[in-house]
Amino acid sequence: VTLMTTHAGAADPLPSWNEGATRTAIIEFVEKVTTEGSADFVPLEKRIATFDNDGCLWLEYPMYTQLLFAFDRIKELAPQHPEWKTTQPFKALLEGDMKTVGASGMKGLMEIVIASHSGMTATEFDKQVTEWLVKTKQARFNRPYNELIYQPQVELLEYLRANGFKTFIVSGGGIAFMRPFTEEAYGIPPEQVVGSMIESEFQIKDGKAEIVRMPKIHFIDDKAGKPVGIYNHIGHRPILACGNSDSDMQMIQYTMAGDGPRMGLFVHHTDAEREYAYDRKSHVGTLDKALDLADANGWTIIDMKQDWKTVFPPK
Amino acid sequence: VTLMTTHAGAADPLPSWNEGATRTAIIEFVEKVTTEGSADFVPLEKRIATFDNDGCLWLEYPMYTQLLFAFDRIKELAPQHPEWKTTQPFKALLEGDMKTVGASGMKGLMEIVIASHSGMTATEFDKQVTEWLVKTKQARFNRPYNELIYQPQVELLEYLRANGFKTFIVSGGGIAFMRPFTEEAYGIPPEQVVGSMIESEFQIKDGKAEIVRMPKIHFIDDKAGKPVGIYNHIGHRPILACGNSDSDMQMIQYTMAGDGPRMGLFVHHTDAEREYAYDRKSHVGTLDKALDLADANGWTIIDMKQDWKTVFPPK
Ligand SMILES: [Ca+2]
Ligand SMILES: [Ca+2]
């Protein structure tokens, strides 16, 4: 593995980041941990960086993309489930009554997610996600969701990898929903994606050995679940972690509590013009306590409007 | 990444393997999947290889190493657990009555494993395993257990990686028991180890964010659990898998059932002189059904005595 380091005169590794304290803090951190002989030097195998996905690497507002996928799948599956015509929250969803769907709360949404994410082989589910991403466009930006990724973050991931970091996603979203697109979108292969999981089973189906997805939650990779997901999947404490909401606080705390240099980052959505502005009162990606605790804990807040030259990749 | 391929005249990539059908089959497989333009070419990101650990990469006979660690830990912890003096199977273990310990069956052994593997932070457990491996020697070979690894398998892992494979361990053993030594022993980093897991929790302990290991099984990565572990951790179907017992059959079936070229390998312990000879009737590493089914399914049996020039690395 050849490591590219940023020398004076080298190409800007973060062209979509504005000059300022945030960009400087990131570059100083990376230079510090990669300078051999320095007291802050971190050996290659410990350069682990973890990133949340929704609202950190791609759009999450006004509704988590995976939920939109689940809603569309339920509509497609409806002919095979006549019972949904009379069962909530499926009935409301099929009738387009999103208010009732919303009122069904986390319990109702979980039923929709489980019904749309189980009962098929792993291979089939992968194909359903891939096809949905190709055919579905986000209304406001008129682009597929896997193009509504944050260009500055893609550059940050590449910059970290160029400096010997291994980059992981650690998301509350479904691991199997993310894996079909993370390699192409972020350069992160399936085996470096950590996320929530439903139960699955090994079965011989039509004579072929397959994984079949079951209608039961196995692990929720959110809040205090994130450090657990990191321990189970990665087995190291990261030295850099980035999130965008209070659900990422435990991951950032876990990251910052190790020895040696550490960096904890939160993306703050401050840009209603180019993307969305939301934080303390938002129903998705609530960023409240983390804003209050950032200074005292040495967490770095990325101000989308100030720090990012562009938001999405060019069309 | 620069790929090293085996050219005529290049150094032998498998010096501890004897010439013969097994070695030839392995080399032909690797050359086939790495030859660009060939119908059997497999792109880099799909070159996933999974290896069992106990009896496949290191010694497992006459007793799984992790159990020996558990027994030793119980003895060390005994002063803090006066109740063990009167509770089975702990009482028998502390009195050296291994017959009674054995008679406690899987349930009793699980109690011993859980009691010795939980109640500490992840960092503390890692240190306990590392220290145990340094101070404990296997009696017959008078060497630490992490030196009783199979040299031909270490070469096979290196050969696969030199040909662009990403190598993983997929073991019924504890993920946290393996991770402290797999990088040094096999060149496999913690994040590429898949194994059985106990529950763990994120806690702020003495003011520090830590993972704490809990006394409850979370996932058993064995038999039909192996393909599930592969799906959850890796997210791809491997193209090569290697095991040594009937517990690896589902992993091999899952591997072989994908499209394109596939290789499934079983280590057969046939060498009582240099290691041990055991298979169908053994209480550890039972290899019975897999021997019967190998030919019909195109699985390759590695005959330790015939195929391996040496077993362990030189002292
Ligand atoms: Ca988020
Ligand atoms: Ca084994």
Side-chain angles (χ1 to χ4, degrees):
Chain A
V1 179
T2 309
L3 299 182
M4 189 186 85
T5 45
T6 49
H7 301 289
D12 181 355
L14 298 172
S16 302
W17 289 71
N18 287 319
E19 298 286 339
T22 309
R23 187 181 186 282
T24 301
I26 291 170
I27 290 176
E28 282 180 0
F29 176 79
V30 170
E31 291 187 343
K32 189 162 67 177
V33 301
T34 55
T35 302
E36 275 190 72
S38 124
D40 289 323
F41 179 75
V42 176
L44 271 179
E45 68 274 14
K46 292 190 174 167
R47 292 186 208 158
I48 301 288
T50 56
F51 283 73
D52 172 54
N53 185 42
D54 297 308
C56 181
L57 296 179
W58 79 346
L59 189 87
E60 68 175 346
Y61 201 89
M63 176 92 81
Y64 296 117
T65 304
Q66 190 173 359
L67 268 186
L68 299 171
F69 164 78
F71 294 163
D72 285 353
R73 286 296 304 156
I74 293 294
K75 290 170 197 161
E76 284 179 23
L77 290 165
Q80 298 151 245
H81 292 271
E83 75 279 12
W84 288 348
K85 278 187 193 155
T86 52
T87 322
Q88 293 297 11
F90 301 98
K91 179 174 183 289
L93 177 61
L94 295 175
E95 290 168 352
D97 172 9
M98 296 314 288
K99 205 175 154 190
T100 302
V101 173
S104 73
M106 186 53 78
K107 189 175 166 288
L109 292 178
M110 271 311 200
E111 281 180 56
I112 286 171
V113 168
I114 286 174
S116 55
H117 284 61
S118 66
M120 70 293 281
T121 67
T123 313
E124 286 161 359
F125 184 72
D126 196 286
K127 195 162 165 267
Q128 286 162 11
V129 173
T130 303
E131 289 176 356
W132 184 84
L133 285 170
V134 168
K135 73 185 177 197
T136 312
K137 284 192 175 177
Q138 201 265 6
R140 176 175 161 198
F141 298 104
N142 192 33
R143 295 180 75 170
Y145 285 92
N146 53 339
E147 290 183 13
L148 295 172
I149 58 179
Y150 304 135
Q151 178 64 19
Q153 297 287 74
V154 172
E155 292 169 9
L156 175 54
L157 289 167
E158 280 169 6
Y159 173 56
L160 291 171
R161 288 193 294 264
N163 282 281
F165 279 76
K166 207 160 179 175
T167 55
F168 290 82
I169 290 172
V170 176
S171 167
I175 198 167
F177 180 72
M178 295 182 281
R179 282 172 164 167
F181 69 87
T182 57
E183 173 96 58
E184 199 188 325
Y186 314 127
I188 296 179
E191 63 271 22
Q192 284 163 226
V193 178
V194 180
S196 296
M197 293 182 276
I198 59 172
E199 298 274 346
S200 56
E201 268 186 22
F202 174 74
Q203 292 183 9
I204 307 289
K205 246 196 138 178
D206 306 324
K208 196 182 169 190
E210 291 281 9
I211 292 294
V212 177
R213 297 171 54 82
M214 307 304 288
K216 195 181 163 213
I217 297 292
H218 173 57
F219 179 71
I220 299 288
D221 189 62
D222 203 26
K223 302 188 178 75
K226 289 201 174 197
V228 172
I230 290 170
Y231 179 54
N232 287 347
H233 278 255
I234 309 176
H236 306 255
R237 199 188 283 262
I239 66 165
L240 180 150
C242 183
N244 76 301
S245 79
D246 286 358
S247 311
D248 297 304
M249 278 203 297
Q250 291 89 341
M251 172 169 78
I252 305 280
Q253 288 171 324
Y254 182 60
T255 300
M256 300 298 278
D259 298 330
R262 304 272 149 183
M263 183 160 221
L265 296 152
F266 285 88
V267 175
H268 188 186
H269 292 260
T270 51
D271 197 332
E273 219 168 287
R274 295 185 301 177
E275 203 234 14
Y276 296 98
Y278 59 96
D279 47 35
R280 294 180 190 273
K281 309 268 183 202
S282 174
H283 58 295
V284 291
T286 317
L287 182 69
D288 183 32
K289 284 187 196 163
L291 282 180
D292 296 334
L293 294 170
D295 271 1
N297 288 281
W299 303 337
T300 302
I301 304 291
I302 299 167
D303 183 318
M304 185 179 273
K305 194 171 177 174
Q306 299 295 327
D307 290 326
W308 289 358
K309 211 171 277 177
T310 54
V311 175
F312 302 121
K315 270 204 186 195
Chain B
V1 181
T2 311
L3 299 182
M4 187 186 89
T5 44
T6 49
H7 301 289
D12 181 357
L14 298 172
S16 301
W17 289 72
N18 287 319
E19 297 287 340
T22 309
R23 187 180 186 282
T24 301
I26 292 169
I27 290 176
E28 282 180 0
F29 176 79
V30 170
E31 292 187 342
K32 189 162 68 177
V33 301
T34 55
T35 302
E36 276 191 71
S38 125
D40 289 322
F41 179 75
V42 175
L44 271 179
E45 70 273 15
K46 293 192 174 166
R47 292 186 208 158
I48 301 287
T50 56
F51 283 72
D52 172 55
N53 186 42
D54 297 308
C56 181
L57 295 180
W58 79 344
L59 190 86
E60 68 175 345
Y61 201 90
M63 176 94 81
Y64 296 118
T65 304
Q66 190 173 358
L67 268 186
L68 298 172
F69 165 78
F71 294 163
D72 285 353
R73 286 297 304 154
I74 294 295
K75 289 170 198 162
E76 285 180 23
L77 291 165
Q80 298 152 245
H81 292 272
E83 76 279 12
W84 288 348
K85 279 187 192 152
T86 52
T87 323
Q88 295 294 12
F90 302 98
K91 179 174 183 291
L93 178 60
L94 296 175
E95 291 168 352
D97 172 9
M98 297 313 290
K99 207 176 153 187
T100 302
V101 173
S104 74
M106 187 53 80
K107 189 173 165 291
L109 292 177
M110 271 311 200
E111 282 180 55
I112 286 171
V113 168
I114 287 173
S116 55
H117 284 62
S118 66
M120 71 292 282
T121 66
T123 313
E124 286 160 357
F125 184 73
D126 197 287
K127 196 163 163 267
Q128 287 162 9
V129 173
T130 303
E131 289 176 356
W132 184 85
L133 285 170
V134 167
K135 73 184 176 198
T136 312
K137 284 191 176 177
Q138 200 265 5
R140 175 176 162 197
F141 298 105
N142 192 34
R143 296 179 75 170
Y145 284 92
N146 52 339
E147 290 183 14
L148 294 173
I149 58 179
Y150 304 134
Q151 178 64 20
Q153 297 287 74
V154 172
E155 292 169 8
L156 175 55
L157 288 167
E158 281 170 6
Y159 174 56
L160 291 170
R161 290 193 294 264
N163 282 282
F165 279 76
K166 207 160 180 177
T167 54
F168 291 81
I169 290 172
V170 176
S171 167
I175 199 167
F177 179 73
M178 295 183 281
R179 281 170 165 169
F181 68 87
T182 57
E183 173 97 58
E184 199 189 325
Y186 314 127
I188 297 180
E191 63 271 22
Q192 284 162 229
V193 177
V194 180
S196 296
M197 293 182 277
I198 61 173
E199 298 276 345
S200 56
E201 267 186 24
F202 174 75
Q203 293 182 10
I204 308 289
K205 245 195 139 176
D206 307 324
K208 194 182 170 189
E210 291 282 7
I211 292 294
V212 177
R213 298 170 53 83
M214 307 304 288
K216 196 180 164 217
I217 297 293
H218 174 55
F219 179 70
I220 299 287
D221 189 61
D222 203 24
K223 301 188 178 79
K226 288 201 174 197
V228 172
I230 290 170
Y231 180 54
N232 287 347
H233 278 256
I234 310 177
H236 305 256
R237 199 188 282 261
I239 65 165
L240 180 150
C242 182
N244 77 300
S245 78
D246 287 358
S247 312
D248 297 304
M249 278 202 298
Q250 291 89 343
M251 170 169 80
I252 305 281
Q253 287 171 324
Y254 182 59
T255 300
M256 300 299 279
D259 297 331
R262 304 273 149 183
M263 185 161 219
L265 295 152
F266 286 88
V267 176
H268 187 186
H269 291 260
T270 51
D271 197 333
E273 219 169 287
R274 295 184 303 177
E275 202 233 14
Y276 295 99
Y278 59 96
D279 47 33
R280 296 181 189 271
K281 309 270 182 200
S282 174
H283 59 294
V284 291
T286 317
L287 182 68
D288 182 30
K289 283 188 197 161
L291 282 179
D292 295 335
L293 294 170
D295 270 3
N297 288 280
W299 302 338
T300 302
I301 305 291
I302 299 167
D303 183 319
M304 185 179 273
K305 193 171 177 176
Q306 298 294 328
D307 290 326
W308 289 359
K309 211 171 279 178
T310 54
V311 175
F312 303 121
K315 272 207 183 189

